[in-house]
């Protein structure tokens, strides 16, 4: 079978030339990926290889799949080695960091639950494990640092208030916000979530470090325990 190279594609339809002529916004997801991975494999050009990557469809379809796939899963596609696999993983990480940094710059402070959700949602809603973060804030509600306290299995995380307040005291935080995700996509708080919130609140009151909120992120949705009157 004859190998279809980029030279076999009309010049105005080749991703690189199209990008230069019409801009990156004119490219499809597959065309964008093909430019980033640059070369294809034996018998397939980079555009075909990019289409195969997007067709993996596990556990999310298309471009969102890149936020879920591991190096091992990517390398199951013929033509993807460690170099291309690393490039693809970095695309996902870069997109999360850009989103996070943008959300941080747009929020003057983090007293508003929606600002907090915007800061974390693109990173956390695609995760298959439960992650627990703590935002450490100064007197003006400005972020000092955010720290991942726990990374659990599919639906279990073990968090100790002691771990949280060791970090809060170390960084001279005045208040804090807890955030975690539910891999199921349903942000409804569990009994364990509510009990943990109460324990952290009580510990914070003893130390003079206020727990402002505990936010649970699902798939494009969230619940603020403060807004629900639980905190």
């Amino acid at each position: 079978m004859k190998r279809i190279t980029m030279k076999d594609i009309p010049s105005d339809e080749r991703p690189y030339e199209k990008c230069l002529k019409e801009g990156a916004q004119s490219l499809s997801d597959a065309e964008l990926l093909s430019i980033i991975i640059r070369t294809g494999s034996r018998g397939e050009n980079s555009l075909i290889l990019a289409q195969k990557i997007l067709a993996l469809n596990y556990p999310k379809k298309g471009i969102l799949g890149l936020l879920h796939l591991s190096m091992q899963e990517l390398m199951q596609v013929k033509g993807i080695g460690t170099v291309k696999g690393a490039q693809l993983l970095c695309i996902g990480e870069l997109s999360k960091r850009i989103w996070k940094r943008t959300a941080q710059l747009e929020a003057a402070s983090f007293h508003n639950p929606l600002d907090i959700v915007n800061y974390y949602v693109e990173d956390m809603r695609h995760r298959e494990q439960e992650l627990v973060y703590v935002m450490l804030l100064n007197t003006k509600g400005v972020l000092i640092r955010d720290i991942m306290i726990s990374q659990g299995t599919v639906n279990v995380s073990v968090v100790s208030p002691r771990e949280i307040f060791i970090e809060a005291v170390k960084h001279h935080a005045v208040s804090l916000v807890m955030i975690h995700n539910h891999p199921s996509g349903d942000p409804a708080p569990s009994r364990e979530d509510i009990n943990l919130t109460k324990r952290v609140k009580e510990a914070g009151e003893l130390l003079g470090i206020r727990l402002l909120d505990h936010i649970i992120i699902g798939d494009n949705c969230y619940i603020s325990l403060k807004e629900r009157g639980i905190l």
Side-chain angles (χ1 to χ4, degrees), residues 127 129-132 148-153 156-158:
R127 299 298 188 107
Q129 290 185 320
E130 188 170 292
L131 306 179
V132 180
M148 186 172 72
I149 297 295
S150 174
Q151 180 171 340
T153 58
V156 177
S157 284
V158 178

Side-chain angles (χ1 to χ4, degrees), residues 48-73:
I48 295 174
L49 185 56
Q51 290 167 343
K52 286 191 172 184
I53 295 165
L54 294 175
L56 290 175
N57 285 352
Y58 177 81
K60 297 285 186 179
K61 292 184 178 181
I63 200 73
L64 287 179
L66 290 178
L67 298 176
H68 295 264
L69 296 169
S70 66
M71 176 70 83
Q72 291 73 25
E73 290 166 330

Side-chain angles (χ1 to χ4, degrees), residues 16-167:
Y16 185 78
E17 285 80 358
K18 185 177 176 182
C19 178
L20 293 178
K21 183 179 179 181
E22 302 177 29
Q25 72 279 357
S26 69
L27 302 181
S28 66
D29 291 345
E31 289 170 335
L32 283 168
L33 275 184
S34 73
I35 290 178
I36 291 167
I37 61 179
R38 296 181 61 191
T39 58
S41 61
R42 186 180 297 275
E44 297 174 334
N45 60 46
S46 60
L47 184 56
I48 295 174
L49 185 56
Q51 290 167 343
K52 286 191 172 184
I53 295 165
L54 294 175
L56 290 175
N57 285 352
Y58 177 81
K60 297 285 186 179
K61 292 184 178 181
I63 200 73
L64 287 179
L66 290 178
L67 298 176
H68 295 264
L69 296 169
S70 66
M71 176 70 83
Q72 291 73 25
E73 290 166 330
L74 287 166
M75 289 177 66
Q76 290 176 9
V77 178
K78 184 180 178 182
I80 298 295
T82 54
V83 173
K84 285 186 172 63
Q87 289 173 329
L88 293 168
L89 291 177
C90 286
I91 292 170
E93 182 60 27
L94 185 62
S95 69
K96 293 174 191 174
R97 294 190 188 190
I98 291 172
W99 179 276
K100 225 173 172 183
R101 182 58 176 156
T102 301
Q104 183 179 7
L105 291 173
E106 288 179 351
S109 66
F110 285 99
H111 289 119
N112 186 335
L114 190 55
D115 288 333
I116 296 168
V117 171
N118 286 337
Y119 185 70
Y120 286 100
V121 66
E122 284 306 305
D123 186 9
M124 297 185 77
R125 74 187 181 97
H126 299 295
R127 299 298 188 107
E128 280 125 35
Q129 290 185 320
E130 188 170 292
L131 306 179
V132 180
Y133 278 88
V134 172
M135 301 182 83
L136 305 177
L137 309 175
N138 66 17
T139 53
K140 296 182 179 179
V142 175
L143 180 65
I144 300 171
R145 186 175 179 183
D146 69 327
I147 299 170
M148 186 172 72
I149 297 295
S150 174
Q151 180 171 340
T153 58
V154 173
N155 57 7
V156 177
S157 284
V158 178
V159 180
S160 165
R162 179 176 180 274
E163 298 174 65
I164 293 173
F165 287 103
I166 285 175
E167 295 294 339

